[in-house]
Amino acid sequence: MFTVAIDGPAAAGKGTLSKRVAAHFGFAHLDTGLIYRATGARVLGGEDPVAAARTLRVEDLARDDLRTTEVAQAASKCAAIPEVRAALVEFQCSFARREEGAVLDGRDIGTVICPEAEVKLFVTASDEIRAERRYLELSGKGQDVTRQGVLEDLRVRDQRDREREAAPLKPAEDAVLIDTSEMDIEAAVAVAIKAVAAVFEG
Ligand code: CDP
């Protein structure tokens, strides 16, 4: 059992780093943001947030409409509700304990979900750079977004995620900070793999 916790603000590159780290070490990967997005999507469909979180199904995570700014905002609103977070803890914890090793990425993995994780990374980049990367990602998928709209979404969510009472976004005390503002993806992946290897391979 070996757990890597990767946290950071919106669109910091956690998803790409997590997938690459997981593939490199043969660990499973859980994008915990997807759980909150799936809850948010059901709330946009008219359900109560707590009821939606309590009845979340694996197939909800496979919906193809989760990567929109509208769903991201709904996710971040749901994520501030303690009962929603509580309903989603067990799934995340049992995933983290799997035998082959696991990488979980989110906002509170190193602080709340897996405080005992062997490696904790906190990934950041400047607001403008994160917004530019997310703008390219969403517009590349054909979504009708603007740079300003994407920047606004990230800032509003980050502020809500940092200021909430329940499991706020912040680095664990023992997290390795990785600022990817000046790094391309390969450089960031190399730094993350090195940090994990230092512990995993002793
Ligand atoms: O992909 P991006 O970084 O923009 O967002 P995400 O990781 O998919 O997360 C969407 C929202 O879910 C965040 O803005 C948080 O409010 C919430 N979230 C959370 O509260 N805790 C987590 N462990 C993961 C996501």
Side-chain angles (χ1 to χ4, degrees), residues 14-31:
K14 302 178 298 289
T16 309
L17 280 187
S18 303
K19 282 192 201 91
R20 294 281 300 269
V21 167
H24 183 89
F25 293 97
F27 298 160
H29 169 227
L30 178 65
D31 170 0

Side-chain angles (χ1 to χ4, degrees), residues 6-15 31-37 66-67 71-80 85 92 105-109 113 130 134 137 153-154 157-158 160-161 164 166-167 169:
I6 304 187
D7 291 303
K14 302 178 298 289
D31 170 0
T32 66
L34 220 48
I35 304 175
Y36 290 92
R37 284 175 182 261
L66 300 182
R67 298 279 174 206
V71 169
Q73 285 292 337
S76 141
K77 287 179 190 159
C78 291
R85 306 198 71 85
Q92 297 175 77
D105 76 282
R107 302 292 186 288
D108 63 338
I109 308 303
I113 300 295
R130 291 187 288 123
R134 180 55 55 90
E137 178 192 337
D153 165 61
L154 302 188
R157 280 197 289 135
D158 286 349
R160 193 186 288 122
D161 293 348
R164 69 186 179 215
L169 165 66

